């Protein structure tokens, strides 16, 4: 088993760096509540070192060919796959998510991103536009120094989803993980540099929101990419606006999952489980408002309860476990408050919501039935294992209700009616839609939100546009006339 203690708190200019003058941050293993490591938040000197080194290292990196940059990213991808087990154990220590999940969803997803953008790096181009006898060409340039700020639910994946396109395009990055999960991004930095990334191009510094805020306002920073809550997104977006910095905002959601009478029942139940209980419900794109057409509701609820009853809670390092704890005491408190509100506002708690008689931040998966649109549990992002079942009569009604949210991250439809499925996803206000599946997030597909769920897209070729800019060059071939 991997030792979760990092070599030091920060990774700057190709090496681990410590500065114990920074505020101490205890790393707590969510499954037991034990402190397993300690890091220190960035002092002003650490912050300065990270930004200065990124700024200094970036031009030489941008001057390499895309193929040379991509080769390093692909090598890092291979190394991540080789170290999948130890990286998955570290992800489990950081987040509490069961090893059964982390072995297939975290380091592997980071490796996918590095492989994909590594492969793309050599084919990043501008274009040529013929303009009569003259012509125009565009040069695709990096932005410069990018800042990444991460949430705590997917610390390895978030670091790599930001690092891979940024580095492929020739940028440098300073990344700040969530204070709750500071360990995994350090490993991503270590592996990138072991794979040959020149020093200074991917730096990780620890800290709370104030460190993120200092990064977002520094004059050397050209772009900020945040994965976090709407309230933090508003602050970071506003701070970035001051300097006209580019942003990517991956924020929260309250996504609808719509199950029609004609759906395959087992698939629909699988979809609802994946949309609510994977990672103990701590996923931004979760389909937490489960709209079930009245004709199938009783059968759906009965089968859902039966299958959720089979969830295995326990030691996350045991590969048989498939449901872990909440990431922190704070997050469990938030979930418990919502459960109380749900009951007070008249929803019917049909299972779950109990703590386990063991240390750590455990809570059993929750299903509410008889939920209505105005209840808090149907309106606000909970970020925990709370599935709300709402019923509906017909397609027109459910479409209006599904779209009645400030968020627009994801949406899902289960039906065997092909035309209805496509009609629905066309009208659903969300960045990602699923038909007869839920929560897939391959690197090949753009990922991001509409409405208050965010700005920009991660993954896919679309991410390239968010980590590069185009310079237009006008070339005159004929004689140049002037009025005088
Ligand atoms: P937070 O918004 O609390 O924190 C996100 C990150 O921002 C943390 O690193 C945090 O530091 C930092 N931060 C906080 N305040 C500031 C500030 N003023 N300036 C700069 N940085 C700041 O989110 P959580 O970590 O609690 O994550 C849960 C949220 O993330 C949910 O809303 C979820 O939906 C969203 N999310 C979105 C995803 C997407 O792709 N759309 C994916 C995953 C999660 P610190 O940790 O010290 O507070």
């Amino acid at each position: 088993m991997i030792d979760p203690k990092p070599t030091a708190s920060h990774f700057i200019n190709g090496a681990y760096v410590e500065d114990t003058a920074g505020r101490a941050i205890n790393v707590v293993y969510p499954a037991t509540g034990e402190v397993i490591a300690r890091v220190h938040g960035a002092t002003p000197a650490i912050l300065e070192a990270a930004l200065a080194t990124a700024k200094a290292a970036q031009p030489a990196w941008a001057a390499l060919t895309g193929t040379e940059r991509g080769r390093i990213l692909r090598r890092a991808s291979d190394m991540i796959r080789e170290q999948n087990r130890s990286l998955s154990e570290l992800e489990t220590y950081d987040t509490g998510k069961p090893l059964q999940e982390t072995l297939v969803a975290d380091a592997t997803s980071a490796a996918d991103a590095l492989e994909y953008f590594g492969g793309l790096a050599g084919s990043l181009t501008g274009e040529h536009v013929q303009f009569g006898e003259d012509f125009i060409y565009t040069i695709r340039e990096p932005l410069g120094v990018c800042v990444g700020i991460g949430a705590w639910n997917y610390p390895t994946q978030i670091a790599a989803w930001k690092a891979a396109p940024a580095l492929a395009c020739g940028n440098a990055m300073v990344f700040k993980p969530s204070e709750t999960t500071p360990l995994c991004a350090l490993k991503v930095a270590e592996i990138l540099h072991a794979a040959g990334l020149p020093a200074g191009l991917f730096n990780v510094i620890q800290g709370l929101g104030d460190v993120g805020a200092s990064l977002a306002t520094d004059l050397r920073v050209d772009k900020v990419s945040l994965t976090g809550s709407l309230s933090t997104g508003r602050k970071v977006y506003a701070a970035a606006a001051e300097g006209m910095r580019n942003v990517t905002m991956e924020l929260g959601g309250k996504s609808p999952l719509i199950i029609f009478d004609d759906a395959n029942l087992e698939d629909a139940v699988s979809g609802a489980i994946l949309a609510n209980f994977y990672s103990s419900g701590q996923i931004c794109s979760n389909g937490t408002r489960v709209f079930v057409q009245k004709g199938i509701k009783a059968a759906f609820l009965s089968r859902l309860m039966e299958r959720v009853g089979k969830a295995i809670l326990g030691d996350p390092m045991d590969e048989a476990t498939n449901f872990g704890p909440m990431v922190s005491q704070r997050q469990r408190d938030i979930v418990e408050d919502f459960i109380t509100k749900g009951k007070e506002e008249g929803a019917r708690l049909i299972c779950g919501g109990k703590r386990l008689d063991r240390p750590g931040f455990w809570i059993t998966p929750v299903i509410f039935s008889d939920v209505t649109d105005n209840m808090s549990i149907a309106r606000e992002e909970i970020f925990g294992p709370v599935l709300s079942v709402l019923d509906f009569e017909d397609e027109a009604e459910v479409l209006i209700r599904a779209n009645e949210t400030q968020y627009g991250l994801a949406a899902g439809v289960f039906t065997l009616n092909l035309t209805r499925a496509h009609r629905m996803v066309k009208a659903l206000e969300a960045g990602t839609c699923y038909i007869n599946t839920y929560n897939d997030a391959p690197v090949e597909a753009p990922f991001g939100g509409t409405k208050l769920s965010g700005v920009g897209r991660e993954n896919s070729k679309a991410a390239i546009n968010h980590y590069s800019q185009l310079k237009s060059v006008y070339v005159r071939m004929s004689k140049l006339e002037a009025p005088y």
Side-chain angles (χ1 to χ4, degrees):
M1 198 68 77
I2 194 173
D3 177 359
K5 287 189 187 59
T7 308
S9 298
H10 317 286
F11 194 96
I12 300 172
N13 204 18
Y16 279 101
V17 180
E18 191 54 272
D19 183 350
T20 52
R23 174 180 185 163
I25 299 170
N26 284 334
V27 187
V28 176
Y29 182 37
T32 61
E34 286 167 299
V35 175
I36 52 168
R38 171 177 284 195
V39 295
H40 293 270
T43 55
I46 287 288
L47 200 102
E48 175 55 32
L51 286 166
T53 191
K55 182 84 183 161
Q58 189 267 330
W61 176 243
L64 295 181
T65 66
T67 304
E68 286 168 326
R69 290 197 300 271
R71 191 177 305 136
I72 293 168
L73 301 190
R74 285 183 288 111
R75 198 178 297 138
S77 167
D78 290 345
M79 290 171 70
I80 286 180
R81 287 195 208 286
E82 281 156 20
Q83 297 175 42
N84 184 42
R85 177 156 287 271
S86 61
L87 293 171
S88 303
E89 288 169 2
L90 191 67
E91 175 90 20
T92 292
Y93 273 127
D94 230 359
T95 62
K97 292 184 294 184
L99 200 54
Q100 191 191 93
E101 278 189 24
T102 56
L103 280 170
V104 296
D106 293 279
T108 53
S109 166
D112 286 352
L114 289 162
E115 188 175 355
Y116 178 86
F117 287 105
L120 215 54
S123 55
L124 301 180
T125 57
E127 62 180 352
H128 168 271
V129 183
Q130 195 64 39
F131 192 59
E133 280 184 18
D134 302 339
F135 64 94
I136 301 157
Y137 65 95
T138 58
I139 304 173
R140 185 171 292 280
E141 297 180 333
L143 299 172
V145 175
C146 302
V147 160
I149 303 174
W152 42 256
N153 58 342
Y154 278 78
T156 308
Q157 182 190 79
I158 292 171
W161 279 18
K162 297 188 190 307
L167 294 171
C169 291
N171 301 286
M173 178 164 268
V174 178
F175 184 82
K176 187 202 88 68
S178 164
E179 75 190 82
T180 312
T181 52
L183 305 178
C184 297
L186 291 168
K187 275 285 169 197
V188 173
E190 184 187 315
I191 291 171
L192 274 165
H193 288 83
L197 187 73
L201 290 164
F202 185 67
N203 308 283
V204 175
I205 63 170
Q206 308 294 346
L208 276 61
D210 57 333
V211 173
S214 301
L215 289 172
T217 48
D218 191 276
L219 292 178
R220 286 162 289 194
V221 171
D222 302 289
K223 170 173 183 127
V224 186
S225 175
L226 169 79
T227 299
S229 60
L230 172 59
S231 64
T232 303
R234 285 193 164 116
K235 287 182 212 155
V236 174
Y237 201 175
E242 189 67 28
M244 289 296 162
R245 293 179 187 94
N246 291 272
V247 296
T248 299
M249 295 279 142
E250 294 289 353
L251 309 176
K254 191 70 198 174
S255 302
L257 170 60
I258 302 167
I259 296 167
F260 285 95
D261 280 349
D262 68 351
N264 175 303
L265 181 66
E266 282 307 305
D267 284 356
V269 170
S270 296
I273 289 170
L274 293 172
N276 283 276
F277 300 130
Y278 204 71
S279 301
S280 302
Q282 302 164 121
I283 298 186
C284 50
S285 50
N286 271 358
T288 48
R289 291 182 294 143
V290 183
F291 290 95
V292 184
Q293 202 164 15
K294 284 189 174 156
I296 203 179
K297 186 178 167 192
F300 173 83
L301 276 175
S302 131
R303 191 68 186 120
L304 178 67
M305 280 178 62
E306 202 178 317
R307 286 182 53 186
V308 170
K310 291 184 182 151
I312 301 170
L313 287 74
D315 177 4
M317 294 295 180
D318 178 345
E319 281 182 54
T321 299
N322 53 27
F323 191 93
M326 298 279 83
V327 76
S328 62
Q329 175 68 49
R330 180 173 168 266
Q331 197 60 23
R332 183 171 66 177
D333 289 347
I334 290 171
V335 170
E336 288 178 338
D337 284 351
F338 273 107
I339 295 171
T340 306
K341 271 192 215 163
K343 288 193 278 193
E344 282 170 2
E345 292 175 17
R348 190 160 59 92
L349 179 70
I350 58 174
C351 73
K354 295 193 179 66
R355 292 185 174 200
L356 296 191
D357 186 19
R358 56 186 292 165
F361 315 122
W362 297 87
I363 191 152
T364 57
V366 178
I367 302 173
F368 272 111
S369 180
D370 302 346
V371 178
T372 55
D373 297 346
N374 290 328
M375 291 178 183
S376 306
I377 55 172
R379 300 189 69 80
E380 293 171 42
E381 183 181 50
I382 301 174
F383 226 60
V386 182
L387 183 159
S388 294
V389 174
L390 305 93
D391 53 35
F392 71 95
E393 299 276 357
D394 62 46
E395 184 181 322
E397 169 211 340
V398 77
L399 189 55
I400 292 169
R401 291 170 60 198
N403 282 338
E404 265 173 4
T405 167
Q406 60 178 348
Y407 293 113
L409 195 53
V413 180
F414 277 78
T415 177
L416 296 182
N417 180 329
L418 195 66
T419 51
R420 174 160 64 194
H422 292 287
R423 194 165 57 234
M424 287 291 292
V425 295
K426 175 102 176 18
L428 283 164
E429 296 164 359
T432 299
C433 288
Y434 300 102
I435 298 175
N436 295 332
T437 182
Y438 207 89
N439 261 348
D440 314 71
V443 66
E444 292 86 351
F447 185 82
T450 60
K451 294 156 80 175
L452 297 189
S453 287
V455 176
R457 292 291 178 271
E458 294 198 299
N459 288 342
S460 80
K461 285 179 283 209
I464 296 302
N465 291 327
H466 298 287
Y467 281 100
S468 62
Q469 59 195 344
L470 292 172
K471 175 183 282 174
S472 296
V473 182
Y474 292 78
V475 183
R476 182 87 179 181
M477 300 296 285
S478 52
K479 186 173 164 15
L480 188 60
E481 303 282 344
Y484 49 86

